[in-house]
Amino acid sequence: MQDFEPFVFFFSARMKHIFTRMRFINFHGQIGARLNADQSVYVKDESNDTEHTSRLFHIVNIILLSAPRDQFDNLRHLWVDKMINILRWKTFLTTQAAELNGFTTYSTVMLAVNMSFLAVPGIVSQSQTQTATPMVIPTYISTICSVGSLVSALILLRQNRRQSSQTAEEAAAYMLEAAPSKTHMEWLAIVYSLPVSLIMWGMIAFVVALCIAVFSLNGTGMQASMSLCFALVAGMGLSPVLWRLYRRHATLGRKPRDKRLPWLRRYP
């Protein structure tokens, strides 16, 4: 029985060390203690206030169809006070890998669709001057965006596979190198959003090319029926985006709700 006493003592000391360290990191017993994994315990200033982004990021976010903002929110809740929660990190990598695999499939399909569309007679001019028809330019843009989405997704997927076996210290070292400040985190979010943004722009360009091809046909009845069809499909397809913008506008105009516990609200 005496042979086990050193191991029991070591186990007890190790667990006590872990609990004490967690209490110290999370400000246990203090007014501003960390109650959630994505909650910061430090005073926010311009350098660490991740709730407000720069104007440049806002402009890029609009150009990339609001995809960087979603990635920035994920990183903001993941990288808190220069610390990484390994369970949340693993969940983030698993979700990212699934999304990237889906983007590679979408990009491949869009490439096949664009090549098939260019093979349709009348899309590409067969004259000696090789003058491009109005449908060709959006199709080329869609092809380039699809290739860009595929390449960026494959690069990020390879990086994701290397990071899947990282420890918490290695993940924190990577984030400290990739996102040491809010500005670097914004650019990291932009990089992570490139696959979905490029494939969305590729789809938009293909829809533009298809609209040009359809509305170039003669006949008032044909154009009227196709206009109605495109309007209905566009309304239904953009309804999630419009609803999200409406909810965001309603939230901005509403007084923020105090989510602190009742016994904490009496403190400033």
Side-chain angles (χ1 to χ4, degrees):
M1 185 65 181
Q2 295 180 355
D3 296 337
F4 292 95
E5 291 181 358
F7 298 100
V8 174
F9 178 77
F10 174 79
F11 177 78
S12 302
R14 179 64 177 173
M15 296 302 296
K16 185 66 175 179
H17 168 73
I18 294 175
F19 291 150
T20 304
R21 185 171 181 271
M22 289 296 102
R23 289 183 176 183
F24 174 76
I25 292 176
N26 297 319
F27 285 18
H28 176 75
Q30 303 298 319
I31 296 178
R34 180 183 287 110
L35 303 179
N36 299 308
D38 57 351
Q39 175 186 348
S40 177
V41 295
Y42 298 103
V43 178
K44 295 181 180 180
D45 52 18
E46 294 182 358
S47 61
N48 62 358
D49 186 9
T50 57
E51 294 183 359
H52 302 86
T53 55
S54 61
R55 293 184 178 180
L56 178 60
F57 179 80
H58 183 67
I59 295 174
V60 176
N61 181 60
I62 296 175
I63 297 175
L64 297 182
L65 306 176
S66 191
R69 183 65 195 185
D70 296 335
Q71 295 293 336
F72 183 81
D73 290 339
N74 293 333
L75 294 174
R76 178 169 64 89
H77 294 295
L78 182 68
W79 182 234
V80 180
D81 294 340
K82 301 297 187 295
M83 294 186 301
I84 284 290
N85 187 313
I86 190 61
L87 296 179
R88 297 169 67 91
W89 176 253
K90 295 294 184 181
T91 303
F92 171 76
L93 293 179
T94 303
T95 305
Q96 186 187 49
E99 292 178 351
L100 292 175
N101 284 320
F103 295 149
T104 55
T105 304
Y106 302 151
S107 302
T108 306
V109 172
M110 284 302 303
L111 281 175
V113 170
N114 289 322
M115 294 299 102
S116 301
F117 188 74
L118 290 174
V120 174
I123 299 298
V124 180
S125 177
Q126 302 296 330
S127 62
Q128 297 295 331
T129 58
Q130 295 295 326
T131 303
T133 59
M135 292 83 73
V136 172
I137 297 177
T139 307
Y140 286 163
I141 295 175
S142 177
T143 304
I144 294 173
C145 291
S146 300
V147 173
S149 175
L150 180 60
V151 172
S152 59
L154 290 176
I155 294 175
L156 292 176
L157 187 60
R158 183 180 64 178
Q159 177 182 345
N160 180 279
R161 290 173 179 173
R162 292 200 308 265
Q163 294 175 338
S164 59
S165 59
Q166 286 182 339
T167 61
E169 290 77 10
E170 294 173 344
Y174 165 76
M175 289 298 299
L176 189 61
E177 180 182 0
S181 63
K182 183 178 68 173
T183 303
H184 291 81
M185 186 182 295
E186 291 175 353
W187 286 108
L188 184 62
I190 292 173
V191 172
Y192 282 166
S193 65
L194 286 179
V196 60
S197 300
L198 290 176
I199 193 61
M200 290 175 66
W201 274 116
M203 292 181 180
I204 293 174
F206 177 77
V207 170
V208 171
L210 184 61
C211 290
I212 295 175
V214 170
F215 290 109
S216 62
L217 300 176
N218 296 326
T220 306
M222 172 67 72
Q223 294 182 358
S225 59
M226 295 308 300
S227 299
L228 179 61
C229 180
F230 272 111
L232 292 176
V233 173
M236 291 184 293
L238 295 177
S239 57
V241 179
L242 298 177
W243 174 253
R244 181 178 179 181
L245 293 176
Y246 169 76
R247 293 294 301 172
R248 179 175 296 181
H249 178 73
T251 304
L252 292 177
R254 188 184 307 167
K255 184 178 180 181
R257 181 182 177 184
D258 192 356
K259 297 182 179 180
R260 294 178 299 175
L261 297 177
W263 61 274
L264 285 176
R265 293 175 184 170
R266 62 177 179 268
Y267 295 100

